[in-house]
């Protein structure tokens, strides 16, 4: 759900890319620091209105930030009209985001305060702590109130997305069953074998290793629970729980196939040493039933269904909206990080 929504709306809690704003900003005094230059440009861009959506404004600052998110991965040379295309896409996303947010508020959908607090706390932890968090706010020209507002907006948009998109998607059972029959070979539960494995590695001679392995097997058999983990490690062997794979652990696999769960093997000679195993779990490869594969099948169908519903919802949102695009100085070059 969240992945498709972020593709459409560009909803991010915070901005990871700092922006150089357009040439319409006033030139700062030469003695200003780089941070002051950037902040001055941001302040100027916040005053420039590029669109109104039902009386709510979208600023040049918001537009440039969205453009940076859309174009951050494209560092190479681009066609002459590339930035104008990015600008158009970014503005459309901001308009749709604003319309969706207005719709959510009209329906009484509000992010819970606890979720906002959690989002801010998680972000602080992700950036490294209080100091790094404070540095980030300064670098991005944001206050904590700005960041909390972004968190509230993003969480509210998730609520309206769930209601208007995710809850309205249905995948016909007939399509799922048809896909299951067509791709049945892809829905296989692999063989699973898990053992407790005691390994005596070869050292000076085989006889020493064999005697050690025989002594360990005797101790395990003497244990009431026949538990290899009851052995006292002395540096000459290891005990481990092992997921056995046919090709990777051939000798152990062949021995384990002959055991019932809970039973011990004898001493098994393999290329990497001598093994004593206790079979913990075994299940053969089998075909998944339709019900077992259904979740994966639905995921395959829901992604395109989400995209289709998002497009329909965008048309619905714009239908009765008053959207005014205002002239603003063109953005002539890709924003620098």
């Amino acid at each position: 759900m969240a992945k498709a929504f972020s593709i459409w709306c560009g909803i991010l809690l915070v901005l990871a890319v700092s922006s150089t704003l357009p040439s319409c900003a006033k030139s700062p005094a030469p003695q200003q620091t780089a941070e002051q230059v950037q902040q001055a440009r941001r302040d100027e861009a916040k005053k420039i209105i590029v669109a109104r959506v039902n009386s709510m404004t979208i600023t040049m600052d918001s537009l440039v930030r969205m453009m940076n998110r859309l174009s951050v991965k494209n560092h190479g040379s681009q066609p002459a009209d590339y930035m104008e295309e990015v600008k158009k896409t970014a503005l459309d996303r901001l308009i749709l985001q604003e319309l969706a947010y207005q719709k959510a508020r009209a329906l009484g959908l509000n992010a819970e305060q606890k979720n906002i607090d959690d989002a801010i706390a998680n972000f602080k932890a992700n950036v490294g702590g209080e100091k790094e968090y404070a540095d980030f706010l300064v670098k991005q020209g944001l206050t904590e109130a700005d960041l909390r507002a972004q968190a509230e907006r993003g969480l509210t948009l998730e609520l309206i997305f769930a209601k208007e998109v995710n809850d309205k998607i249905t995948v016909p059972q007939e399509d799922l069953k048809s896909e299951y029959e067509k791709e049945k070979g892809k829905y296989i539960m692999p063989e699973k074998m898990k053992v407790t494995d005691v390994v005596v590695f070869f050292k000076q001679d085989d006889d020493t290793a064999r005697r050690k392995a025989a002594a360990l097997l005797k101790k395990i058999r003497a244990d009431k629970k026949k538990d290899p983990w009851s052995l006292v490690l002395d540096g000459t062997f290891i005990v481990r729980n092992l997921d056995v794979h046919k090709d990777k652990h051939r000798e152990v696999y062949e021995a384990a196939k002959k055991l019932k769960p809970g039973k011990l093997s004898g001493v098994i000679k393999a290329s990497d040493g001598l093994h004593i195993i206790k079979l913990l779990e075994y299940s053969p490869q089998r075909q998944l039933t339709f019900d077992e594969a259904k979740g994966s099948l639905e995921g395959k169908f829901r992604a395109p269904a989400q995209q289709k519903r998002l497009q329909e919802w965008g048309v619905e949102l714009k239908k009765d909206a008053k959207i005014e695009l205002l002239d603003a100085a063109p953005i002539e070059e890709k924003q620098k990080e």
Side-chain angles (χ1 to χ4, degrees), residues 86-104:
V86 173
K87 179 181 177 181
K88 180 180 178 182
T89 301
L91 186 56
D92 189 55
R93 289 193 180 189
L94 287 169
I95 289 170
L96 290 171
Q97 181 178 326
E98 177 59 39
L99 287 170
Y101 184 71
Q102 291 179 17
K103 177 74 172 180

Side-chain angles (χ1 to χ4, degrees), residues 185-232:
K186 294 182 179 180
Y187 298 98
I188 302 293
M189 177 69 74
E191 181 181 48
K192 184 176 182 180
M193 179 185 289
K194 189 170 185 177
V195 303
T196 298
D197 183 26
V198 179
V199 189
V200 179
F201 297 105
F202 294 116
K203 290 189 176 181
Q204 295 180 350
D205 59 79
D206 291 352
D207 287 339
T208 301
R210 279 194 290 269
R211 286 195 296 272
K212 181 65 178 181
L216 292 173
L217 179 57
K218 185 177 181 180
K219 288 181 180 179
I220 298 170
R221 286 174 173 169
D223 180 67
K224 186 176 180 180
K225 296 182 179 179
K226 306 290 191 293
D227 184 6
W229 288 102
S230 66
L231 296 171
V232 178

Side-chain angles (χ1 to χ4, degrees), residues 284-307:
Q285 176 179 295
R286 66 177 180 83
Q287 174 71 53
L288 290 176
T289 65
F290 171 72
D291 287 339
E292 290 172 325
K294 187 176 178 181
S296 178
L297 288 164
E298 284 184 334
K300 182 177 180 180
F301 278 85
R302 287 184 73 82
Q306 280 181 332
Q307 293 302 318

Side-chain angles (χ1 to χ4, degrees), residues 316-328:
E316 294 170 12
L317 288 170
K318 287 182 176 180
K319 185 177 179 181
D320 298 318
K322 182 178 180 181
I323 301 170
E324 182 183 5
L325 303 182
L326 305 177
D327 290 333

Side-chain angles (χ1 to χ4, degrees), residues 42-90:
R42 285 197 184 105
D43 292 341
E44 186 69 20
K46 288 176 181 177
K47 301 175 184 176
I48 302 172
I49 299 173
V50 296
R52 288 193 179 90
V53 182
N54 293 331
S55 77
M56 298 302 294
T57 60
I58 295 174
T59 67
M60 179 64 80
D61 179 60
S62 296
L63 177 59
V64 172
R65 289 174 183 269
M66 178 63 80
M67 289 178 67
N68 274 317
R69 292 207 289 271
L70 295 177
S71 61
V72 67
K73 294 183 180 180
N74 299 305
H75 295 293
S77 58
Q78 301 293 342
D81 61 349
Y82 170 71
M83 286 313 298
E84 282 303 310
E85 285 298 317
V86 173
K87 179 181 177 181
K88 180 180 178 182
T89 301

